[in-house]
Amino acid sequence: VLLGLFIYLPPLSLYSDEEGLGYVQMKNFYLNRSLSIPYPGESLGLVPDHIAGDQGYLIQKEGRIYCILQPLFPYLSGLFYPIFGDRVTHFLPLLAFFLSLVVFGMIVKLLASEERVYWMLLFGFLFGVPILFYAFTFWEFVPAIFLILLGLYFMVLYFHGHPSRAFLFIGAFS
């Protein structure tokens, strides 16, 4: 189903200015390998002050433009840009959504005593929280949720009868 959605969703279906700036950051990492974003008005003699002000997502520093959004998620997405092109805006969020669902299922399987409770919690996670909606956005929320769930999974393993220091370490740093 997620593969079908990945193919069906139009590339660059961005819903907010934050997603658009994330896309600009990602594309800039891919093309220029830099945090500073080239200013197209520079060739016309315009200064970056025209788009990078005191408030907003863009700042000017030493004549260069920088985005104030965290760069890790756009950078990681940029690694897949040569493979998926502009569809990369859907790749990492949908992949993280799928992996989050799998890891949450593994956590619930360890903790739920009845199969009925397992399915109720799994459907509650799927439809009761906005992770499904965030899976269609180019934000770092779903990959962050995946890392949180991964850490929780290793902590549950540690406290649920597998006291390995590796589980505790991975759980604490995920």
Side-chain angles (χ1 to χ4, degrees), residues 32-82:
N32 303 319
R33 307 281 187 237
S34 170
L35 283 173
S36 68
I37 300 170
Y39 179 49
E42 202 168 24
S43 63
L44 301 173
L46 301 173
V47 293
D49 290 340
H50 293 112
I51 62 167
D54 294 334
Q55 298 177 358
Y57 296 112
L58 298 173
I59 59 169
Q60 176 191 341
K61 188 175 182 181
E62 299 172 4
R64 310 283 302 168
I65 296 175
Y66 296 90
C67 184
I68 63 168
L69 299 175
Q70 62 82 21
L72 181 61
F73 175 69
Y75 174 76
L76 292 175
S77 296
L79 297 176
F80 296 100
Y81 188 82

Side-chain angles (χ1 to χ4, degrees), residues 122-139:
L122 199 60
F123 281 111
F125 176 75
L126 185 58
F127 298 113
V129 297
I131 188 169
L132 180 61
F133 301 112
Y134 286 137
F136 301 108
T137 62
F138 190 61
W139 285 332

Side-chain angles (χ1 to χ4, degrees), residues 100-172:
S100 296
L101 194 59
V102 169
V103 171
F104 185 77
M106 292 174 10
I107 292 170
V108 173
K109 191 170 264 293
L110 287 172
L111 299 176
S113 57
E114 300 176 30
E115 188 173 340
R116 180 175 49 97
V117 173
Y118 169 81
W119 287 108
M120 285 175 36
L121 290 173
L122 199 60
F123 281 111
F125 176 75
L126 185 58
F127 298 113
V129 297
I131 188 169
L132 180 61
F133 301 112
Y134 286 137
F136 301 108
T137 62
F138 190 61
W139 285 332
E140 62 275 359
F141 298 142
V142 180
I145 290 170
F146 166 67
L147 290 177
I148 291 167
L149 287 172
L150 191 63
L152 183 62
Y153 173 71
F154 284 108
M155 296 299 275
V156 168
L157 276 178
Y158 178 81
F159 289 110
H160 201 262
H162 304 287
S164 166
R165 288 185 186 207
F167 289 158
L168 188 62
F169 180 78
I170 294 169

Side-chain angles (χ1 to χ4, degrees), residues 1-13 15 86-87 89-91 94 136:
V1 172
L2 291 176
L3 179 62
L5 282 172
F6 178 72
I7 294 168
Y8 171 75
L9 289 171
L12 291 180
S13 54
Y15 304 104
D86 287 337
R87 287 193 181 282
T89 58
H90 302 302
F91 175 70
L94 285 172
F136 301 108

